[in-house]
Amino acid sequence: MSRLEAKKPSLCKSEALTSERVRTTLSVLKRIVTSCYGPSGRLKQLHNGFGGYVCTTSQSSALLSHLLVTHPILKILTTSVQNHVSGFRDCGLFTAILCCNLIENVQRLGLAPTTVIRLNKHLLSLCISYLKSETCGCRIPVDFSSTQILLCLVRSILTSKPACMLTRKETEHVSALILRAFLLTIPENAEGHIILGKSLIVPLKDQRVIDSTVLPGILIEMSEVQLMRLLPIKKSTALKVALFCTTLSGDISDTGEGTVVVSYGVSLENAVLDQLLNLGRQLVSDHVDLVLCQKVIHPSLKQFLNMHRVIAIDRIGVTLMEPLTKMTGTQPIGSLGSISPNSYGSVKDVCTAKFGSKHFFHLIPNEATICSLLLCNRNDTAWDELKLTCQTALHVLQLTLKESWALLGGGCTETHLAAYIRHKTHNDPKSILKDDECTQTELQLIAEAFCSALESVVGSLEHDGGEILTDMKYGHFWSVQADSPCVANWPDLLSHCGCGLYNSQEELSWCFLRSTRHPFVPQTCLPLEAVGSASNLTLDCLTAKLSGLQVAVETANLILDLSYVIEDKN
Amino acid sequence: MLSSMAATGSVKAALQVAEVLEAIVSCCMGPEGRQVLCTKPTGEVLLSRNGGRLLEALHLQHPIARMIVDCVSSHLKKTGDGAKTFIIFLCHLLRGLHAVTDREKDPLMCENIQTHGRYWKNCCQWKFISQALVTFQTQILDGIMDQYLSRHFLSIFSSAKERTLCRSSLELLLEAYFCGRVGRNNHKFISQLMCDYFFKCMTCKTEIDVFELVDDYFVELNVGVTGLPVSDSRIIAGLVLQKDFSVYCPADGDIRMVIVTETIQPLFSTSGSEFILNSEAQFQTSQFWIMEKTKAIMKHLRSQNVKLLLSSVKQPDLVIYYAGVNGISVVECLSSSEVSLIQRIIGLSPFVPPQAFSQCEISNTALVKFCKPLILRSKRYVHLGLIGTCTFIPHCVVLCGPVQGLIEQHEDALHGAFKMLRQLFKDLDLNYMTQTSDQNGTSSLFIYKNSGESYQAPDTGKGSIQRPYQDTVVENKDELEKTQTYLKVHSNLVISDVELETYIPYSTPTDTFQTDETLKCLSLERNRLTDDYEPLLKNNSTAYSTRGNNRIDISYENLQVTNITGKGSMLPVSYKLQNMGASQSYLSSSMPAGCVLPVGGNFEILLHYYLLNYAKKCHQSEETMVSMIIANALLGIPRVLYKSKTGKYSFPHIYIRAVHALQTNQPLVSSQTGLESVTGKYQLLTSVLQCLTKILTIDLVITVKRHPQKVHNQDSEDEL
């Protein structure tokens, strides 16, 4: 009988957001995420104090998954950021910082939550429709016929993760590798519906980053002894492959719910082994060159196959099954009996390879959409960070393939957007308010809170005490070093804006981002020739940023709408 | 091991409990309500405005609180709406009861019991009241609904006969529903989504069984996707299964599918049987036979054009392999509810692999429009284009949200909306008695007399009552005057003068019509009438003085006094009408499906108004009291709804306008757009009254250490 225990009553707290405790924890979280943001962001070391794994990171996915958040309100915030990151992989910190800023700014105003939520929603839709519109001045089309913009996109992601510990040269190398790996997953003769392949990341720790490489096909790691035992195949044509998903170890399969009585002297093991050897004979007579098994192959069968110059590799594991099926075009075999000839696949060639201290069995495909990215880094933590970054970059490239636009990075999109919103709410408040019950003053207040939240996100790109400026023509982001003499001639102190599109030699006027200024119209409709000339741009993924923006505002609205917290104490 | 705890004054205790609950639920009630965050013991967080969820999340320990929560959840199971209103209404009812009984000096009820201890007196009193509540609920309420309220009902259908539903009215209904259930920034979107879903799923003829199907299988008909903005939620044609294909073979054209509930591969032995292996060759041949048999079955399926196999169990590798070889896609481990949903949609029974293999055609296959993988935010699902054989056209809702808690909230709300619609599409039977029960001889005599006279006569009677009871009347009058002055004071602030003038003349009736003959004639009747008025007036005026309410509340309380007195003078007319066809008989009628009222407390105000009218007419003090308490408690709900509104939209204004419109037979004007189901409201009312009866009938709460044994268990032991 199960033990029944009375449930403890829950704890019910009202006005959760205004309490001092929540405010302090929220500001602590905000400080953690803001200090990580951007290329010069500070790293966080996460460890449990009992030794073991230490994580050094500045990425939201690693950071938030290791942080133990107990307060329910913070939990909402962190889980919504994590959910965003697990889908888009990019713009996690942006989302977290924006959400914290919005909550803080709006709380300071003390307006009724209904109004705040309604107006926030209007402002959000204003942002979204601007970013998606043709006139948007902060997005550029991605040209897939040249690698330039794609490389910029990958490079921007790599440089924004300082915990990867890459030098400039290494960054260039890894960016090129990532782009190659991505291009290898695109099928060559795509008609209509494209199904992308997969890039498998193979770890090679304690190696120089420069040694990283991309290979088409799949690498199966093996010990040197095993590899020596494999006989070299001399064959000019493609190799025939059989891929088994069922065990070939000679286990007796499920016998049903009733009982099976075995008479004395009857050895089922022998019976099964006979069956396995029959299978081996069939494989040999079908001229199979390579037998791969997800699970274990019986040693006798293995030996039999080897004797007939068939390579047998077992314990492949479930993770490699799908890419193997895809690459070889096999049907995973689940039968010990007759095998349909259609189930066999093929590879172009096999070879052995050694990278660092590891030995690999390399399957080279006929026509590849599967590739292996051998990734090296000096130590465990830096490798983990680099792996996450590579996954992010590959995913961002996939997203860009779907929607071929990129946003200007380096903070320029945010300042530009803030300038646009300010201008819009100042000059045309009627179109935003429509039939709502909110007043213009309320709109001005919320718009200011919204814009300054966006601007403080980019403000946190600067960690070394420098000043942040914005120009009055494009509304871009400019940063100036901390020790520069104040109010000098700006064109000499500044070189390029955050995204690198404009340089300071143009006739521009600047002002501090934090200072109050008259709303101006940022220049919309980005001229194409400006994009063509700039070679080294900082770019962001449009899809990820849009979703991040939406999630941040929605989560902030959600948190601002809370009136009670009921904590289950069981 | 039995310790007991006497719960003296269960109403008081229940009131305390209900007030705490009220404080929690009232913050998320109505369109202005806010969200509540609940954490689960597993660490997950849930956002909710669903009263039922909140009450469950509290894990209350107080026995009465637990009883209330039980009542709420059983109500919710049926109707899917109204948990918050339940608590608020119950709280107001308890408050009313508490206030009345605290001060009650009713000689009729207490005099003969006074010899007993106070505790038992209380209990008897509660018993009377609870009996009166039951009588009210079973015999009176339905009548009021049928005879008075029904004339205000609107129908959601554009044509009542065919039950066709137009989109705009459904939108109004759903928007009002979701207003109270999901966050403010999403309710419009969610109600649009629900509307789309409704019209996509329904064939032209809306049938109740579609609601039943969607309600029963709602979990299977929606998919939650975290990490996307809410606005990405959408409706997909077909059915989405929350698993991936075990084998996927792209297929088009004529796709047929089968459902299996057991493994296709024959096994060595079934349960209860024994398989004896005598030789290795025997083992090998039987294995070979199994393999060949499986192969043959799959081939046979293939020859019948079956390209999809749905299985509720895990199939062996062998089956999966031969399915792949034959180009049959396989989905394994379907839950039993998924299987029964598919069976209900397409009316397909499971396929049983034939024992003796034959080439006959498999009868139980079904045609599928398409079957393909669906990728939602890098997770794979199975997407089936089923061809429904019933009135339901299969569609799925994909719910997106930044966190799981929000998705669950939306899922809950959508499910509740279907429950609500399911109730709305049913006719509601009403059974009641035509006449108020046991009128004594004197009063009926009075009626007959009066009916022969002019309308003035009852007025005279009423005025004359005041004489023999001079002292109390003076007191009453003083209070009346007092209340009127308050009215005047506040009238400048909140109430327009014009409206006031129309009411005040009613409240200063009388002395002019006095005649001594009628006075003598009606001496027996007087007692009753004054009894009716006295507690009411006292109630209201003391409520004012003891409760430190804000201005709006004060003016409302006072207004009530004037209104009631005002109606008092109109009362005899309806009296006569009632008694014209006067014999006790049970009537049954029904409220047609699809009855709705505009939102914003319209139902409550209407019922309040007619209940007060009714209370005037009945002669039994319990009945009057119960009706009054219920009528007054009903107003608590619109008062919460209009809490944050000021000026023209504040509650007193709304209330005065509504009552004025009712008195002058004008149509009610609602300040809000939106509709709500009358059935839902009616069921809520009865559920609350049942719950209250339950609370009142308990006189003692006994705490036992052991788990109470179930009764039927003991019975079965006795038989043994």
Side-chain angles (χ1 to χ4, degrees), chain B residues 277-551:
Chain B
L277 274 174
N278 287 322
S279 68
E280 284 150 32
Q282 188 198 358
F283 174 74
Q284 279 170 351
T285 33
S286 34
Q287 280 230 318
F288 183 74
W289 180 81
I290 287 173
M291 214 147 26
E292 288 303 312
K293 172 97 179 168
T294 313
K295 202 170 154 184
I297 292 173
M298 298 311 282
K299 252 202 185 125
H300 184 51
L301 286 176
R302 166 78 196 166
S303 70
Q304 298 293 318
N305 233 339
V306 172
K307 284 172 189 163
L308 176 64
L309 181 76
L310 300 180
S311 164
S312 60
V313 292
K314 176 120 185 64
Q315 296 288 346
D317 286 340
L318 196 64
V319 176
I320 302 291
Y321 172 64
Y322 282 117
V325 167
N326 287 301
I328 300 173
S329 304
V330 183
V331 185
E332 294 173 293
C333 307
L334 292 180
S335 68
S336 57
S337 50
E338 279 169 332
V339 172
S340 63
L341 171 65
I342 294 170
Q343 287 182 359
R344 258 183 84 169
I345 294 175
I346 58 175
L348 178 70
S349 55
F351 162 75
V352 183
Q355 281 302 316
F357 186 68
S358 60
Q359 287 298 327
C360 66
E361 201 167 299
I362 305 165
S363 57
N364 30 14
T365 64
L367 209 60
V368 186
K369 248 181 279 175
F370 57 84
C371 113
K372 57 186 181 199
L374 174 75
I375 298 174
L376 294 172
R377 227 211 54 172
S378 62
K379 220 182 141 196
R380 290 157 66 98
Y381 299 89
V382 174
H383 189 189
L384 299 181
L386 298 179
I387 300 167
T389 52
C390 58
T391 44
F392 174 72
I393 307 166
H395 278 82
C396 271
V397 193
V398 177
L399 287 172
C400 303
V403 280
Q404 181 62 31
L406 193 65
I407 292 172
E408 270 174 47
Q409 181 184 24
H410 292 162
E411 186 190 323
D412 241 27
L414 285 171
H415 196 175
F418 270 104
K419 276 209 165 79
M420 185 263 290
L421 286 178
R422 183 179 177 171
Q423 294 293 323
L424 182 66
F425 274 66
K426 274 186 200 155
D427 291 336
L428 183 71
D429 292 329
L430 300 170
N431 298 302
Y432 57 97
M433 287 176 20
T434 42
Q435 198 188 2
T436 47
S437 53
D438 69 60
Q439 286 191 323
N440 55 32
T442 354
S443 67
S444 50
L445 187 79
F446 157 70
I447 302 294
Y448 290 130
K449 268 196 170 179
N450 270 346
S451 61
E453 285 175 25
S454 69
Y455 287 141
Q456 295 291 338
D459 271 353
T460 347
K462 192 174 172 260
S464 59
I465 292 158
Q466 292 174 356
R467 202 174 267 167
Y469 296 91
Q470 266 311 332
D471 36 359
T472 51
V473 175
V474 168
E475 194 193 321
N476 281 350
K477 277 196 128 184
D478 276 354
E479 272 168 11
L480 260 179
E481 228 110 80
K482 234 199 274 176
T483 54
Q484 277 165 32
T485 50
Y486 280 121
L487 265 180
K488 274 174 186 152
V489 170
H490 294 298
S491 63
N492 299 334
L493 295 167
V494 280
I495 304 157
S496 66
D497 285 343
V498 189
E499 278 169 336
L500 264 179
E501 291 311 325
T502 55
Y503 290 101
I504 289 166
Y506 288 118
S507 59
T508 52
T510 63
D511 292 304
T512 44
F513 299 106
Q514 288 175 20
T515 45
D516 284 339
E517 300 102 292
T518 34
L519 174 79
K520 273 169 198 156
C521 223
L522 299 170
S523 58
L524 273 166
E525 182 55 30
R526 271 165 226 150
N527 194 7
R528 284 287 157 75
L529 273 174
T530 29
D531 278 345
D532 287 354
Y533 281 104
E534 197 186 7
L536 177 77
L537 286 175
K538 275 195 166 183
N539 183 5
N540 286 314
S541 50
T542 35
Y544 158 65
S545 56
T546 47
R547 259 187 252 158
N549 281 353
N550 57 29
R551 262 183 202 153

Side-chain angles (χ1 to χ4, degrees), chain A residues 10 75 83 86 114 121 259 261 263 266-267 271 274-275 338 340 343 554 560-564 566-568, chain B residues 27 34-35 37-39 41 43 57-59 184-185 230 269 273 275 277-278 280 284 287 295 321 377 402:
Chain A
S10 305
K75 209 175 245 169
N83 285 336
S86 68
T114 331
K121 213 182 168 198
T259 44
V261 180
S263 308
V266 175
S267 162
D274 274 353
Q275 221 174 353
S338 57
S340 146
S343 333
E554 267 184 21
L560 288 167
D561 203 14
L562 293 178
S563 69
Y564 271 88
I566 298 175
E567 269 184 85
D568 196 324
Chain B
C27 75
R34 296 171 69 179
Q35 303 260 25
L37 183 70
C38 306
T39 63
L58 284 169
H59 292 306
R184 256 164 299 195
N185 40 348
V230 175
S269 57
S273 72
F275 182 79
L277 274 174
N278 287 322
E280 284 150 32
Q284 279 170 351
Q287 280 230 318
K295 202 170 154 184
Y321 172 64
R377 227 211 54 172

Side-chain angles (χ1 to χ4, degrees), chain A residues 213-250:
Chain A
T213 180
V214 173
L215 295 170
I218 292 173
L219 293 171
I220 300 169
E221 197 186 333
M222 283 180 158
S223 71
E224 199 180 352
V225 187
Q226 268 178 303
L227 210 58
M228 297 302 275
R229 241 185 255 155
L230 296 176
L231 299 164
I233 301 179
K234 296 280 176 284
K235 205 173 178 186
S236 52
T237 55
L239 305 175
K240 209 172 193 181
V241 181
L243 178 65
F244 283 87
C245 60
T246 187
T247 175
L248 297 179
S249 65

